[in-house]
Amino acid sequence: MPTAGSLQEIAREHTKIHAKGKGANTKFTCNQCNKEFTGSQTRQLAHLTGTSGSGVAACQEIDDDLRNAINIEVDRLGRVKSGSKASSNHIDIPDAEQRPTKRLRQPTIAESLADKRALDTVVAEFFYAHGIPLHLVRSPLFKKMCEAISKSNVAYRGPAYNAMRTDLLDAVKCRVENDSQSWSDHGKKVTGFVLGSDGWTDAQSRPLMNFMLVTPRGTKFVRALDTSGNEKSGQYIADKMSEVIDEVGPAHITAVIMDGASNNVSANKILEQRYDGLFTLHCTAHALDLALESICDFPYFSDPAKVSKKIIKVLTNHHTTSALFKSHSKLFLLKPGDTRFYSTYIAVRRLRCQSAIRKTVVSEEWDEWAAKRDYREKAKVVSKAVLDHGFWRSIANFCHVLKPIVRLLRLVDSNMPSMGKVYPECAAIETHIEQCKLPADVRADVATIFRQRWDDMHSPLHSVAYMLEPQFQDTDFGTEVRKDFRDGVKRMVETADEYKAVLSQHTKFTNKEGIFGDEDIMSLTQDDSEHSIPTYQFWAEHGHETPALAAVAKRVTSMVSSAGACERNWSAYDFIHSKKRNKLTAQRANDLVFVFSNLRLTTRFREPEKFAEWVEEIDEEQQEALLGLQDDEQFVPAFEMEDAADSDHAEESD
């Protein structure tokens, strides 16, 4: 279009006037959507720009870039018309060898679109040159930055390097701390906090100890402490934990969670003596992982695991065998990790694509590869195992026995409340082990190992949370669970009257009196319910008839049962303090991780919709598909089993 000297020219370029009337009686058709409207120039522009409040619908066919350009023109010409000093926000991005030029007229819409394209190209170059993940353009903070720069009246050139590492970092850290106050207030008033801690060694081989506050609404990074030159004894750990507890307030921290190292066990005893009502827990995920590792030390489980690893190694580490296997299967074989032993289970279970593996080792291409001297022994081991009925039976038994332990480990190794699920799940695992078709001595050893780990991680809080889960309202709890419940409640309340009130109100809960007899309300926490809500939220919204019991229930049912958040925080720390940035001081790295972790927390808490656009999390089904944990297929060997009993073992559903 010609140079837009007025708002009328913009309206005329994108609309067609049919009948010129007075004021709002003018009939016009939009050139973009071909719809006819009646109205003045104000309505014509409102239709094009998508402005509400003018009595006309926004055009649905107009391109976003064109609409933005029209908005820029309308805004600019509107300021000129109102008498304000005409100024152009136009930014000309010159080539490297060109000097910027100053326009003496308003840019056309086409020129504005070209300017935006040039700016987008410069931003894209920055992303590409530094390997920045492209999805970060969806970050609300990236959009906030662009908006702030576009609205600025100064020729912005970016912050100075020294300011970024000193003053600006301190300012942002202070603001993040202030913004997280609403999250802290919610934790203090409703759920309380779980304080977790874990140890790590950074890129400069400095021993670090982090502290995290966990609630159902997110995890806050408190700080990471450089413990260089100090013996990490039980007393030292207890003293450092006490500093954080005193900062937050002992009344607001329900429990402390660490792994089961001997110095942590000593620290737990010291903390329980210092603070009345404070519980100390052994990380459930750590205990279950140790149980898996101990169980798999038995040859009955270790032998098939070792052979499986050899098969995976041969089929993934060589180009020929990898391509041959992929030609028969859409699934990829997974390699066991080093940090979690249950990754071995996941890798072994992926061998359920046994039909593709068998086709691989009986093919002519395999024979040609196996005939080579360097690969002859490896190929012989793999072929013998894959064509052996007994190997597949041992794999089926391996997965069948360990499956419920891995399922519980995945449940607790998250930031979601799981305290009320641990006790019933562990009881179910013990029953499962007793019913497994294993040699008597192996079954007894497995049961003993799991019982020892359960004793290590067991706490009265497990029983308290168990008896306050609405889905277990009709359960006949045993004497041990009821005793733990009373002991746990007595430690959580301050007076004898509160203790009696909790026990009395719990009777109303178990007898289904009042609101607790409403099946629709009680079904809100069922896992299979369409409108399921967390248990702590159930007590917050429906516990008004039993306030003393609800106060206890909200705290204990909102708790995590592992220190997984602390371990995952080291991934963020490693991302910030990488090998390329290994000269960061411990304090500066701590400040950067504080902002990195807690800025996401405050965004999630205050603007959950924007955070959902920022971080696209993989849903549960996708996670299971990636890890090979879906139950839609049976793990059945591709061979006909002559013995019916053997077939029962082989056809266990995973």
Side-chain angles (χ1 to χ4, degrees):
M1 80 177 195
T3 303
S6 66
L7 297 175
Q8 185 181 27
E9 290 186 14
I10 298 177
R12 291 283 178 85
E13 182 178 355
H14 299 284
T15 61
K16 181 179 180 181
I17 305 299
H18 292 298
K20 181 68 175 177
K22 292 184 178 181
N25 295 323
T26 300
K27 293 184 178 180
F28 67 93
T29 299
C30 175
N31 294 342
Q32 304 296 326
C33 64
N34 295 322
K35 292 184 179 180
E36 184 176 319
F37 301 91
T38 301
S40 63
Q41 175 183 294
T42 301
R43 283 195 174 186
Q44 297 172 31
L45 295 174
H47 175 69
L48 294 170
T49 60
T51 305
S52 60
S54 297
V56 64
C59 181
Q60 301 298 321
E61 301 297 329
I62 191 170
D63 181 76
D64 288 341
D65 290 337
L66 180 58
R67 172 168 283 163
N68 290 335
I70 293 175
N71 270 301
I72 293 173
E73 290 289 301
V74 170
D75 180 62
R76 185 177 292 123
L77 292 174
R79 290 200 304 271
V80 173
K81 184 177 180 181
S82 65
S84 62
K85 183 179 180 180
S87 62
S88 174
N89 289 331
H90 171 71
I91 300 175
D92 188 20
I93 305 299
D95 293 334
E97 299 179 355
Q98 292 179 340
R99 294 176 62 86
T101 60
K102 186 175 182 180
R103 290 183 180 142
L104 300 179
R105 60 175 176 78
Q106 298 292 343
T108 65
I109 293 178
E111 289 172 339
S112 297
L113 290 174
D115 286 345
K116 182 181 185 303
R117 180 72 175 182
L119 286 170
D120 288 345
T121 302
V122 173
V123 174
E125 285 179 355
F126 175 75
F127 271 69
Y128 303 151
H130 298 285
I132 300 174
L134 303 184
H135 70 84
L136 291 182
V137 297
R138 300 175 180 173
S139 166
L141 298 179
F142 178 78
K143 296 177 181 178
K144 180 180 178 181
M145 176 189 70
C146 292
E147 291 175 2
I149 294 175
S150 66
K151 293 179 181 179
S152 174
N153 293 323
V154 300
Y156 185 71
R157 295 184 178 277
Y161 168 71
N162 284 329
M164 285 286 287
R165 61 200 293 266
T166 54
D167 297 344
L168 291 177
L169 178 57
D170 293 338
V172 173
K173 181 183 177 183
C174 183
R175 188 169 67 180
V176 170
E177 180 65 44
N178 293 334
D179 289 345
S180 65
Q181 190 59 46
S182 58
W183 175 88
S184 300
D185 293 341
H186 179 271
K188 292 177 180 179
K189 295 177 181 178
V190 182
T191 60
F193 302 107
V194 173
L195 175 60
S197 180
D198 190 43
W200 189 63
T201 303
D202 69 1
Q204 294 186 8
S205 299
R206 292 179 299 215
L208 301 178
M209 180 180 180
N210 66 3
F211 304 92
M212 310 285 290
L213 290 175
V214 186
T215 76
R217 295 201 173 189
T219 302
K220 180 180 179 180
F221 172 78
V222 180
R223 60 173 168 268
L225 181 67
D226 182 2
T227 61
S228 300
N230 297 290
E231 181 184 358
K232 293 183 67 175
S233 62
Q235 185 67 47
Y236 177 81
I237 295 174
D239 291 342
K240 297 305 176 182
M241 295 291 285
S242 294
E243 292 178 4
V244 179
I245 293 173
D246 293 336
E247 288 178 14
V248 179
H252 303 307
I253 295 182
T254 307
V256 169
I257 295 183
M258 294 183 284
D259 62 40
S262 58
N263 53 352
N264 290 337
V265 173
S266 300
N268 287 341
K269 294 179 180 179
I270 296 173
L271 290 173
E272 288 188 351
Q273 292 174 356
R274 287 182 182 177
Y275 301 98
D276 293 335
L278 178 68
F279 292 85
T280 57
L281 303 174
H282 181 178
C283 174
T284 305
H286 183 253
L288 291 174
D289 196 63
L290 292 177
L292 286 173
E293 189 171 355
S294 298
I295 290 172
C296 290
D297 284 339
F298 296 119
Y300 187 88
F301 298 99
S302 63
D303 290 347
K306 290 177 181 178
V307 175
S308 298
K309 290 179 181 179
K310 291 180 180 179
I311 294 175
I312 294 170
K313 187 175 181 180
V314 168
L315 295 182
T316 56
N317 285 9
H318 301 276
H319 297 299
T320 302
T321 56
S322 177
L324 183 58
F325 170 75
K326 291 176 182 177
S327 68
H328 297 295
S329 175
K330 295 181 179 180
L331 287 175
F332 291 94
L333 295 179
L334 304 175
K335 296 181 180 180
D338 296 329
T339 57
R340 286 291 192 199
F341 191 81
Y342 81 89
S343 64
T344 299
Y345 168 88
I346 296 172
V348 171
R349 194 195 182 290
R350 179 54 68 89
L351 291 180
R352 66 182 183 180
C353 54
Q354 55 191 280
S355 177
I357 297 175
R358 183 171 181 270
K359 290 178 182 178
T360 300
V361 301
V362 298
S363 64
E364 294 181 0
E365 293 88 344
W366 173 271
D367 292 338
E368 293 177 2
W369 178 82
K372 298 178 181 179
R373 184 172 58 184
D374 293 342
Y375 308 133
R376 195 171 300 159
E377 291 300 322
K378 298 178 182 178
K380 185 176 181 181
V381 172
V382 172
S383 298
K384 180 180 178 181
V386 171
L387 300 177
D388 180 22
H389 298 197
F391 169 73
W392 294 110
R393 287 197 296 270
S394 65
I395 291 297
N397 285 332
F398 178 94
C399 295
H400 176 66
V401 174
L402 301 183
K403 177 182 176 180
I405 303 178
V406 173
R407 187 182 295 273
L408 176 58
L409 196 155
R410 294 178 65 232
L411 171 67
V412 301
D413 194 19
S414 69
N415 292 340
M416 300 303 296
S418 58
M419 188 62 67
K421 305 293 194 304
V422 174
Y423 199 109
E425 289 292 333
C426 286
I429 290 174
E430 289 186 326
T431 302
H432 170 79
I433 293 173
E434 293 176 359
Q435 296 175 350
C436 284
K437 297 179 179 179
L438 297 171
D441 57 336
V442 175
R443 186 189 303 110
D445 291 337
V446 171
T448 300
I449 289 173
F450 186 79
R451 168 50 66 174
Q452 290 174 347
R453 293 302 176 186
W454 168 236
D455 291 340
D456 291 340
M457 64 184 177
H458 177 60
S459 166
L461 286 179
H462 291 119
S463 298
V464 176
Y466 179 27
M467 292 187 67
L468 292 175
E469 286 282 349
Q471 69 182 95
F472 302 125
Q473 187 182 23
D474 296 326
T475 303
D476 183 15
F477 303 105
T479 304
E480 180 183 354
V481 177
R482 294 182 182 277
K483 181 180 181 302
D484 284 345
F485 177 81
R486 293 191 297 270
D487 293 342
V489 170
K490 184 175 292 186
R491 289 176 58 184
M492 294 184 69
V493 299
E494 296 180 356
T495 65
D497 290 339
E498 287 183 276
Y499 174 66
K500 293 178 182 178
V502 172
L503 295 183
S504 175
Q505 293 172 13
H506 184 260
T507 302
K508 295 181 180 180
F509 172 71
T510 55
N511 292 340
K512 300 183 179 181
E513 298 178 11
I515 196 173
F516 302 121
D518 190 326
E519 294 184 359
D520 292 333
I521 292 179
M522 299 305 293
S523 65
L524 289 175
T525 61
Q526 301 299 319
D527 294 336
D528 57 353
S529 173
E530 182 181 356
H531 306 288
S532 177
I533 62 174
T535 303
Y536 80 91
Q537 187 176 338
F538 166 85
W539 284 104
E541 296 179 1
H542 303 289
H544 53 275
E545 294 183 2
T546 55
L549 180 64
V552 172
K554 285 184 294 186
R555 293 176 69 91
V556 73
T557 59
S558 65
M559 293 177 58
V560 296
S561 53
S562 77
C566 301
E567 296 180 10
R568 284 185 288 275
N569 175 253
W570 295 128
S571 297
Y573 208 101
D574 190 48
F575 174 73
I576 298 295
H577 197 185
S578 61
K579 293 180 179 179
K580 292 184 179 181
R581 305 175 69 185
N582 63 359
K583 291 186 179 181
L584 285 173
T585 63
Q587 182 58 48
R588 183 164 293 126
N590 177 83
D591 293 344
L592 289 170
V593 174
F594 181 92
V595 173
F596 178 83
S597 301
N598 295 338
L599 194 56
R600 293 183 170 218
L601 170 67
T602 56
T603 304
R604 180 195 290 118
F605 188 76
R606 291 184 291 113
E607 301 172 295
E609 296 82 6
K610 290 185 178 181
F611 185 82
E613 296 177 1
W614 180 11
V615 182
E616 295 183 354
E617 297 184 358
I618 301 175
D619 60 33
E620 187 69 16
E621 289 187 4
Q622 289 175 312
Q623 286 182 353
E624 292 186 349
L626 290 173
L627 296 177
L629 293 172
Q630 287 178 319
D631 293 323
D632 55 348
E633 296 183 23
Q634 286 187 328
F635 191 94
V636 183
F639 308 94
E640 291 293 335
M641 297 297 177
E642 298 179 359
D643 191 322
D646 289 345
S647 180
D648 289 341
H649 280 287
E651 295 182 1
E652 291 290 353
S653 172
D654 270 24

